[in-house]
Amino acid sequence: MRRGTVQLAPSANLAALAMVPASVLLGSGLPTDTVCLDGARDPNTVLARLRAAAATPGPLLLYLSGRLTADRRGRGLYLALAGTARAAVRYTALPWDWLVGELRGRPAGLTTVLLDLAADKEAWPLLQECGGLPGLPSPEVYGVVCPPGFAAGSGTVSGYTRHWIEQLRRSPSRPADVQLHALAAGAAGLPPGALVLPTARELGMRPGPQQQPLPPQQQPDRQGSWQEAGAPAVPPSDRVPGEGSGGDPRPHIHALATAGRHSEAAALARAWEEHVRHAYGFSSPEAVQWAEIRADLARMAGDFLLATGLWIGACRVRLAGQGAADPEVYAAAAGALYCWSRLRDRASAVESGPELLALLGALPALEPRYLRLVQARLEALRAPDLPRAVPT
């Protein structure tokens, strides 16, 4: 990191967070103790405060903002403090293991850790090696870690924290933490390669968020999915129409997918789909739009079986609610047909083919040749002497 470069301004982040009422920040009207350690220089002082907080029997929200660094051997991860010196990291910074150790004994479900961090060139290789932040086995962890060289600017609130706060203030009822995280990460303008927590595997293991509906300005619009309406032979487009800011997670999800981070993109999209299902209903237009986003993400990742199933499901819902003359119904059928035609595994194609065939048969305006093509391919697939690798 260049001398004088400011990656994050922890004091500005803490000051902005302190302006949010505790009841809004925590989503609870219970009495709350707030401790702010801004400019702390002694690791033992921080440890004592952390230990006291971890000992509380009730819910705990821990917010960390600053710089991650490593010792000279490059094997130990530390959170830099105000007095951290490069030559004496082990004595002037907070060991990450201390943080993990104090939180490890907390009861499950009572601890939330919110992170807005930047890693220097010494710490970044450790994060890459671990695939994330090590430890923290039980708490829910949400946040971002920016790579070396990214400068947020001196004295300014970083994007992730700023958008987390804005979403809290904007929402008439507090969204779930995973929803706040998805909105903030999507709008924060993160640099390429930034680490977004939770990881795809961790997010995929969590149940869908249970929360209140989004206010109107946050609801996905009719361009929630990035498909293009057209003839059934045309695959959906990779472009996200109407990419915008203000908490829209689609640009961030799409950027993850185009960067090859398909699991993370799919996990965030799945969390959004679960949110709108609970908020608006399983057959709502909002839920269908996110099912279509998931379908196209699966296509981009090469999972054509999943993509086919998702497109078929979305098409059926649209058909039931919008009728057989709606262009969006045929656009969803286009996605299903295209993805099914890309399946190379014989068993998978045979398994999903009849459902696709039945769906296409329910669309009276569909060109008959598409139906004939599916029928012919299914017959060929079912022939007993065909190899397992199925040609298009």
Side-chain angles (χ1 to χ4, degrees):
M1 185 167 60
R2 298 187 303 273
R3 184 178 299 276
T5 297
V6 178
Q7 287 185 285
L8 284 178
S11 294
N13 287 349
L14 285 171
L17 206 65
M19 298 298 292
V20 182
S23 59
V24 176
L25 186 62
L26 301 176
S28 171
L30 295 175
T32 304
D33 289 331
T34 303
V35 177
C36 179
L37 298 180
D38 186 12
R41 306 178 70 88
D42 180 13
N44 290 293
T45 299
V46 177
L47 175 63
R49 293 287 190 175
L50 178 63
R51 184 166 293 166
T56 182
L60 172 66
L61 171 65
L62 178 64
Y63 173 79
L64 297 175
S65 182
R67 174 172 58 92
L68 289 174
T69 189
D71 56 30
R72 281 190 164 183
R73 296 181 179 179
R75 305 311 304 171
L77 194 65
Y78 292 78
L79 179 65
L81 303 179
T84 296
R86 175 68 260 162
V89 168
R90 296 178 60 189
Y91 308 103
T92 58
L94 180 72
W96 190 256
D97 288 344
W98 289 10
L99 173 69
V100 172
E102 293 303 322
L103 297 180
R104 184 175 287 127
R106 294 272 303 164
L110 289 181
T111 307
T112 301
V113 180
L114 181 59
L115 307 168
D116 194 344
L117 303 169
D120 62 20
K121 62 182 181 180
E122 284 77 25
W124 190 247
L126 292 180
L127 300 182
Q128 298 292 93
E129 180 181 329
C130 297
L133 282 168
L136 300 180
S138 60
E140 288 194 335
V141 182
Y142 301 96
V144 296
V145 183
C146 291
F150 173 70
S154 178
T156 60
V157 180
S158 59
Y160 181 77
T161 294
R162 183 175 70 254
H163 284 286
W164 186 285
I165 294 171
E166 287 180 0
Q167 297 302 331
L168 283 172
R169 289 174 172 168
R170 182 183 301 176
S171 303
S173 56
R174 190 189 189 280
D177 287 337
V178 67
Q179 184 73 21
L180 289 168
H181 168 69
L183 289 165
L190 299 174
L195 178 64
V196 180
L197 303 168
T199 64
R201 181 183 65 84
E202 292 166 338
L203 189 58
M205 292 172 61
R206 298 182 183 181
Q210 303 281 343
Q211 60 203 66
Q212 299 298 318
L214 292 174
Q217 66 267 32
Q218 296 176 36
Q219 294 177 10
D221 56 28
R222 265 294 173 189
Q223 294 177 335
S225 60
W226 46 76
Q227 75 182 60
E228 296 272 69
V234 179
S237 168
D238 287 349
R239 183 176 60 86
V240 182
E243 289 186 2
S245 57
D248 186 350
R250 291 169 296 169
H252 176 63
I253 293 173
H254 187 259
L256 288 174
T258 54
R261 297 164 66 179
H262 298 293
S263 296
E264 293 172 67
L268 285 176
R270 186 166 57 249
W272 266 90
E273 182 187 35
E274 287 298 317
H275 161 67
V276 298
R277 280 182 169 185
H278 286 99
Y280 307 113
F282 276 60
S283 300
S284 65
E286 294 83 0
V288 177
Q289 290 161 12
W290 278 99
E292 291 173 344
I293 287 177
R294 287 186 59 215
D296 210 35
L297 289 172
R299 178 190 63 81
M300 295 169 70
D303 189 346
F304 293 106
L305 180 60
L306 175 60
T308 299
L310 287 169
W311 278 120
I312 289 175
C315 187
R316 287 197 178 281
V317 174
R318 287 200 182 277
L319 180 62
Q322 299 168 226
D326 196 295
E328 289 182 312
V329 173
Y330 287 84
L337 177 55
Y338 172 78
C339 292
W340 183 77
S341 70
R342 296 296 303 274
L343 284 171
R344 297 293 183 266
D345 179 70
R346 176 184 178 182
S348 298
V350 169
E351 178 185 358
S352 54
E355 189 176 8
L356 175 63
L357 192 63
L359 175 65
L360 298 181
L363 304 179
L366 185 76
E367 290 187 29
R369 66 186 180 95
Y370 294 117
L371 206 57
R372 292 195 299 267
L373 285 172
V374 174
Q375 288 172 331
R377 187 173 188 238
L378 263 180
E379 290 175 3
L381 289 168
R382 287 167 173 162
D385 56 345
L386 280 183
R388 298 192 66 84
V390 179
T392 303

